[in-house]
Amino acid sequence: MTFIVNKIPAVKETDTHLFVAGDFNNWDPGHVAFEFQKQNDGSWQLSKSLSKGAYNFKITRGSWQK
């Protein structure tokens, strides 16, 4: 599965990190194995091998506060 984030809200910090938390990783909002990589076109991408199925997830900046 490939997650792609095309645009994020403006942030004050210059060192932005994005993560995906979901029922496939025990809703861990900052797990390093689920961190997006910024692409040259400005989008963010993360590819993971997941079992076939339906998933619930949210994108975070490393914690539930962000």
Side-chain angles (χ1 to χ4, degrees), residues 24-45:
F24 45 82
N25 72 347
N26 295 316
W27 291 98
D28 186 337
H31 193 292
V32 295
F34 291 88
E35 183 174 1
F36 285 77
Q37 299 300 311
K38 190 168 186 179
Q39 305 300 300
N40 291 333
D41 66 0
S43 67
W44 298 77
Q45 186 171 329

Side-chain angles (χ1 to χ4, degrees), residues 2-62:
T2 299
F3 299 90
I4 299 172
V5 177
N6 290 313
K7 187 176 180 182
I8 62 172
V11 294
K12 295 177 186 172
E13 59 228 28
T14 58
D15 191 27
T16 301
H17 296 272
L18 295 181
F19 301 85
V20 64
D23 42 19
F24 45 82
N25 72 347
N26 295 316
W27 291 98
D28 186 337
H31 193 292
V32 295
F34 291 88
E35 183 174 1
F36 285 77
Q37 299 300 311
K38 190 168 186 179
Q39 305 300 300
N40 291 333
D41 66 0
S43 67
W44 298 77
Q45 186 171 329
L46 172 67
S47 294
K48 298 302 285 182
S49 294
L50 300 176
S51 301
K52 187 175 180 179
Y55 295 100
N56 297 296
F57 65 91
K58 292 187 177 213
I59 308 299
T60 74
R61 291 189 176 141

